[in-house]
Amino acid sequence: MAENPPNTSEKKAVGLGIETVEVSNSDLSREGSDPELARARLTRTTTVVDYDVDLAEAAEEAEKEMSFKNAIIADKRLIWYSLGFSGTIIMEGYGFALITYLFSFPVFNKKYGEFDVVKQDYEIRYIWKVLLPLVAQFGSLIGVFLCSFLTSKFGYKYATMGMLVLLAATICVTFFAESVQMLSIGFLLQGIPWGVFQVASPGYASEIASLQLRPILTTWTNLCWVIGQLMASAIVKGFQKYPGDLSFRIPFALQWAFIALLLIIVFFAPESPYWHLQKKKGTNQVQNARLAIKKIVRTGDPEKVEAKLALMQHAIHQERKKQAPDAPGFKGKLGRFVGMFRGVDARRTEIACMAWLIQSMCGSSIIPWAPKLFEGAGLDPSQALSINIALPAAGILGTLGSWGLMRKWGHRAIYFWGLLVMALLLTGCGLASLAPDSIAGWIAGGILAAFTLIYDLTIGPVCYSIVSEMPSIRRRAQTLSAARGTYLLAGLINHFLTPKMVGSDSDSWNWGSKTGFLYAGICAIAAVYTFYRIPDTSEISTRELDILFQHKVKSREFCSQRAKDLDEDLQNRWSENRIFPVAQP
């Protein structure tokens, strides 16, 4: 040890960086024998908003140690608010499923289709089977990239409310449509709010959720999608024999009632506290974040509010220590958007994009087209619609089961093994084409129901959890937009190819259940990527994820303990020159 010990320093974590206050040993001796008290007295006053590091770390440990039951009791308000935002995905799932389900609707085909000499019945032309889902996806793509601007400018709450109002207006176009061209315009416009919902919902859930509830609230998004599909399937089946055009117009109109309910829930929900803390100007943003947290925390307990606020500030501080700057030559939001492909954020963006790409290309695109696949395998339209109801029902059971599975297995393991099992099931679906026509459709239907169950037990819900946890706090909206944009671009390819593969009319390839072979191969390739690149983020806090990515830890080595070993602040705090956080005034 040196003869003259070096000066110690007081390190204060602040909202926008680190403030170091030098305190000499002689100053400490003049103030008394208690070094902590001496540092507190000698600390300079500052106008920068600070937070208590010890309080933040205690809150982080408390979240990890809290049981799932206690987390539900403590965060009842948080759950309801998050479910309100995720409920917007029901609108998306319902609307997208309605487009393809109605293609098996005789009255709908007669209204907007043409007489097909091969089938000797009315059928929507192949070009419109492609274009109607395609324009909806294109509208969603617009909404996805608008979401980054809207949520940064107005926040998750008001961006979501504005899009719900827009969706209610655009439904009028499809409800009163007299031609397939007008339908396409309506679906294009509806796709824009759907795209915003796709990013805003998981983003909001991941920001307000506690560590124990984060997997549930982010994967609930997938359940909402499945609920939307189930509603569309059941309603189309229920109105199949309803006379006249109202048989397919009423399913469009029912969306208005649900929009009204969601508007009420979102209106009373608080804005994400992280959104307030990320605002550059004014210390009032910290107070606004505190008020938002008060609405989230049960009974608004002041101590719990301050602990959660400190935890969020600590996570932002950790992220900004080694975050790559915005891309040179670009300013403002464009600079932040380009910046997500640089430095530490590049890897996080890649994983988020690939996780959603895998979800899109693993065979899930067959599910909305299942009635057509069943028809191609030998079932009549009524039988196809009947067995189709089993698919979203299996999806709901799968998603509910995934919540228990994620508490036992990590996200990475579930993703990997889910892809392998799905590859086997899709191979079985393809082999069903070798069975006699009288039973081939039922075999393919049973296998596809099992595939849907496994998909919604693994890839479907877990993808939302992985993607929502990957981005850094500052670039969350931009990264989620890029990832969802990747998903939608892959969806455009699916919308061109899937109708060709599963269709049975003169414009299609008539592959039927053989389509399973293609997607089985894709699942096998995706499993290899998952093994090497996708980390396990379960039970790892937002701040610990920042540490692991900043130190370029291999995906197979991600864990909370590894983050603690690499935590420089924690190591410095217990070094010879011990550092003490300044208590809040």
Side-chain angles (χ1 to χ4, degrees):
M1 184 178 295
E3 293 183 3
N4 297 318
N7 290 346
T8 56
S9 64
E10 171 59 37
K11 189 176 187 181
K12 178 191 289 187
V14 297
L16 298 177
I18 299 292
E19 180 187 16
T20 302
V21 181
E22 298 295 337
V23 183
S24 66
N25 289 330
S26 59
D27 289 334
L28 291 176
S29 62
R30 286 198 303 269
E31 287 294 323
S33 59
D34 188 345
E36 295 186 46
L37 181 60
R39 286 187 177 90
R41 290 173 180 170
L42 292 168
T43 300
R44 292 197 305 263
T45 59
T46 175
T47 58
V48 182
V49 178
D50 64 277
Y51 67 93
D52 188 332
V53 178
D54 281 346
L55 181 61
E57 293 182 348
E60 185 176 78
E61 288 302 315
E63 281 198 3
K64 291 182 179 180
E65 296 172 0
M66 184 180 294
S67 67
F68 181 69
K69 179 180 178 180
N70 289 337
I72 293 177
I73 295 173
D75 293 331
K76 285 182 180 178
R77 294 181 179 182
L78 179 153
I79 294 171
W80 284 111
Y81 294 140
S82 179
L83 296 188
F85 276 83
S86 300
T88 59
I89 302 298
I90 295 179
M91 307 303 304
E92 181 204 359
Y94 180 91
F96 269 120
L98 201 60
I99 299 174
T100 53
Y101 289 172
L102 287 176
F103 292 152
S104 294
F105 211 106
V107 178
F108 185 82
N109 285 331
K110 188 173 183 179
K111 175 70 176 180
Y112 299 110
E114 298 177 1
F115 191 79
D116 189 285
V117 294
V118 175
K119 293 188 66 176
Q120 289 295 303
D121 201 356
Y122 285 93
E123 185 80 11
I124 301 290
R125 290 181 59 194
Y126 166 75
I127 185 63
W128 289 111
K129 288 180 183 177
V130 171
L131 284 179
L132 289 178
L134 180 66
V135 296
Q137 288 281 55
F138 184 74
S140 292
L141 199 58
I142 296 173
V144 160
F145 289 104
L146 277 178
C147 185
S148 175
F149 166 77
L150 293 174
T151 55
S152 297
K153 181 71 174 177
F154 303 106
Y156 291 102
K157 176 177 178 176
Y158 290 106
T160 300
M161 290 180 64
M163 289 299 104
L164 283 171
V165 173
L166 177 61
L167 180 60
T170 57
I171 290 172
C172 296
V173 180
T174 53
F175 181 82
F176 293 106
E178 290 295 328
S179 66
V180 69
Q181 291 84 356
M182 187 175 292
L183 272 180
S184 66
I185 295 173
F187 289 138
L188 172 66
L189 296 175
Q190 288 180 38
I192 296 175
W194 290 343
V196 175
F197 299 154
Q198 291 169 15
V199 176
S201 174
Y204 183 84
S206 64
E207 290 195 3
I208 71 168
S210 59
L211 189 60
Q212 294 296 331
L213 293 179
R214 191 174 67 190
I216 306 299
L217 295 183
T218 51
T219 55
W220 167 258
T221 301
N222 182 76
L223 182 59
C224 288
W225 172 275
V226 178
I227 290 173
Q229 289 181 318
L230 180 61
M231 288 172 55
S233 179
I235 289 172
V236 167
K237 178 64 178 176
F239 284 92
Q240 183 183 15
K241 297 182 180 180
Y242 200 86
D245 290 356
L246 285 178
S247 60
F248 60 83
R249 297 194 193 278
I250 290 177
F252 289 131
L254 291 175
Q255 297 175 86
W256 284 321
F258 199 69
I259 289 174
L261 176 62
L262 289 176
L263 273 172
I264 295 173
I265 296 175
V266 175
F267 176 78
F268 287 104
E271 182 53 73
S272 166
Y274 275 118
W275 182 80
H276 289 297
L277 293 174
Q278 292 283 65
K279 302 294 285 184
K280 291 184 177 180
K281 296 181 179 179
T283 58
N284 284 339
Q285 295 303 330
V286 175
Q287 178 61 20
N288 291 337
R290 182 178 285 109
L291 293 175
I293 294 172
K294 188 175 181 180
K295 293 186 69 175
I296 294 173
V297 174
R298 186 169 180 256
T299 68
D301 187 326
E303 293 183 2
K304 292 182 179 179
V305 169
E306 292 304 317
K308 197 170 188 69
L309 177 61
L311 176 57
M312 290 181 171
Q313 290 174 303
H314 197 33
I316 292 174
H317 160 66
Q318 174 65 44
E319 176 184 300
R320 292 184 177 180
K321 285 198 302 182
K322 294 185 179 181
Q323 187 175 46
D326 293 341
F330 298 91
K331 296 181 179 180
K333 293 180 176 59
L334 182 60
R336 287 196 292 274
F337 191 86
V338 178
M340 69 181 172
F341 298 104
R342 303 177 70 243
V344 175
D345 287 301
R347 181 184 176 192
R348 307 180 80 155
T349 302
E350 174 223 319
I351 295 171
C353 290
M354 287 301 298
W356 240 330
L357 178 66
I358 290 171
Q359 192 200 50
S360 178
M361 298 299 293
C362 69
S364 58
S365 62
I366 298 177
I367 298 173
W369 290 95
K372 282 298 177 185
L373 185 146
F374 298 151
E375 288 179 35
L379 299 180
D380 62 48
S382 180
Q383 290 174 324
L385 286 173
S386 296
I387 196 173
N388 184 60
I389 296 177
L391 301 188
I396 290 177
L397 290 177
T399 303
L400 293 174
S402 71
W403 295 349
L405 194 63
M406 282 189 290
R407 295 186 60 78
K408 295 182 179 180
W409 286 18
H411 299 164
R412 165 188 161 84
I414 295 173
Y415 224 66
F416 176 75
W417 290 107
L419 285 167
L420 292 183
V421 173
M422 287 163 54
L424 293 175
L425 288 172
L426 287 167
T427 302
C429 182
L431 292 174
S433 62
L434 303 177
D437 291 343
S438 58
I439 62 171
W442 294 104
I443 293 175
I447 292 176
L448 200 56
F451 168 83
T452 305
L453 176 66
I454 298 300
Y455 169 80
D456 286 295
L457 185 66
T458 58
I459 307 301
V462 176
C463 176
Y464 285 97
S465 189
I466 292 174
V467 171
S468 62
E469 293 169 4
M470 280 302 109
S472 60
I473 299 168
R474 185 187 179 203
R475 295 193 170 102
R476 191 183 303 278
Q478 290 84 1
T479 302
L480 288 177
S481 294
R484 193 63 182 182
T486 303
Y487 172 90
L488 292 176
L489 288 173
L492 296 181
I493 298 173
N494 285 328
H495 281 306
F496 273 110
L497 296 182
T498 306
K500 276 285 189 183
M501 291 187 286
V502 305
S504 59
D505 56 276
S506 56
D507 291 325
S508 300
W509 299 339
N510 199 21
W511 286 11
S513 59
K514 295 186 183 73
T515 306
F517 288 130
L518 172 65
Y519 288 112
I522 295 175
C523 283
I525 296 172
V528 175
Y529 175 87
T530 300
F531 182 80
Y532 286 103
R533 295 296 292 171
I534 295 182
D536 185 8
T537 56
S538 56
E539 298 186 0
I540 301 178
S541 69
T542 301
R543 188 182 67 88
E544 290 172 338
L545 282 175
D546 288 327
I547 295 172
L548 293 168
F549 277 112
Q550 287 165 2
H551 286 83
K552 300 180 181 179
V553 176
K554 292 181 180 180
S555 297
R556 286 169 283 176
E557 299 176 3
F558 267 47
C559 66
S560 182
Q561 184 58 48
R562 185 67 188 276
K564 290 181 180 178
D565 294 339
L566 296 170
D567 188 348
E568 295 172 359
D569 285 346
L570 185 63
Q571 301 303 324
N572 291 337
R573 196 167 297 121
W574 297 103
S575 65
E576 182 178 357
N577 297 325
R578 190 177 176 188
I579 297 169
F580 298 88
V582 177
Q584 295 231 139

